[in-house]
Amino acid sequence: MKRTTLFILLFTAFSILAQDKFKTTSAIINFEASVPFFEEVKAVNKLGTIILEPETSMLICSAVIKDFRFKMDLMQEHFNDNYIESNRYPKAVFKGKIEKFDLKDINEVEKEYDVKGKLYLHGKYKVISVKAQIKKVPEGIQILSNFPLSVSDFNIEIPYMVANKISKTVQTDLSGIMK
């Protein structure tokens, strides 16, 4: 019995280490572009995709723009139709490389990594660098990241009438557990 249990544990550990990709399609992406004294400009997307390729240290994240949800339907409509133009630019995609990443170093202790790559949003590419916290959890590998994005970098026009009510820098959070 002890040998069987040990064998199963070893097999499970080696199969996790031997995986060529980790993936989730339920990553959570939050963004906030609120300014003090005005209505909250905040949305969440719970259907983001994250793919981690340990062999190449590649990290790919994508989100369907229309999957972002706001508290107010009108705000969501303006976001999709007027600002981000989701019919024309339906997805946001980041492809980057995690620097100094080795799957063997991932354990239950969170480690911070630099991730550099290209973000495609609103028809524009921008090279960005972000910090990501990565650790092993019972369900797989968890990644957390928080980074600012400038609307001007992606030619997102904010109408003059509401320009002082929306931040020109959008705080973005990403979290997901890849299996």
Side-chain angles (χ1 to χ4, degrees):
M1 181 67 179
K2 288 181 183 178
R3 282 186 182 181
T4 306
T5 305
L6 180 62
F7 178 73
I8 291 170
L9 287 173
L10 285 173
F11 179 74
T12 303
F14 284 120
S15 67
I16 288 174
L17 289 173
Q19 269 186 277
D20 60 343
K21 284 185 186 178
F22 291 87
K23 181 180 179 179
T24 184
T25 55
S26 58
I28 299 172
I29 304 164
N30 290 294
F31 78 78
E32 185 166 3
S34 302
V35 294
F37 309 114
F38 288 102
E39 187 121 29
E40 180 179 68
V41 179
K42 192 175 188 179
V44 64
N45 182 333
K46 296 181 180 181
L47 300 171
T49 298
I50 305 174
I51 301 170
L52 170 64
E53 297 174 353
E55 285 291 315
T56 61
S57 303
M58 287 298 295
L59 183 68
I60 302 165
C61 306
S62 67
V64 174
I65 300 298
K66 285 189 176 183
D67 288 338
F68 280 97
R69 299 290 174 242
F70 292 78
K71 285 182 183 175
M72 295 174 45
D73 291 340
L74 186 59
M75 199 176 282
Q76 187 165 325
E77 183 181 325
H78 286 300
F79 170 78
N80 282 302
D81 295 344
N82 303 337
Y83 303 126
I84 220 75
E85 301 173 275
S86 58
N87 285 333
R88 190 171 174 193
Y89 310 109
K91 274 185 143 183
V93 179
F94 173 81
K95 290 182 183 179
K97 188 168 178 103
I98 305 171
E99 294 185 353
K100 300 177 184 172
F101 180 81
D102 190 336
L103 187 59
K104 290 179 257 168
D105 295 335
I106 302 299
N107 56 40
E108 291 78 18
V109 178
E110 187 175 88
K111 291 183 178 75
E112 185 173 84
Y113 291 91
D114 290 319
V115 185
K116 293 185 180 177
K118 280 185 175 180
L119 175 62
Y120 175 79
L121 176 66
H122 196 248
K124 302 288 177 201
Y125 283 96
K126 169 88 172 145
V127 175
I128 63 170
S129 295
V130 300
K131 301 276 186 197
Q133 290 74 41
I134 300 174
K135 72 177 181 178
K136 189 176 186 183
V137 293
E139 301 85 15
I141 295 184
Q142 179 184 48
I143 186 167
L144 302 169
S145 186
N146 179 301
F147 50 94
L149 294 174
S150 174
V151 294
S152 63
D153 287 342
F154 299 97
N155 291 347
I156 298 169
E157 293 182 27
I158 299 173
Y160 177 76
M161 296 287 288
V162 293
N164 63 338
K165 298 178 182 180
I166 300 172
S167 176
K168 289 162 186 44
T169 302
V170 179
Q171 261 324 112
T172 309
D173 298 314
L174 169 73
S175 64
I177 297 175
M178 300 162 286
K179 299 174 186 178

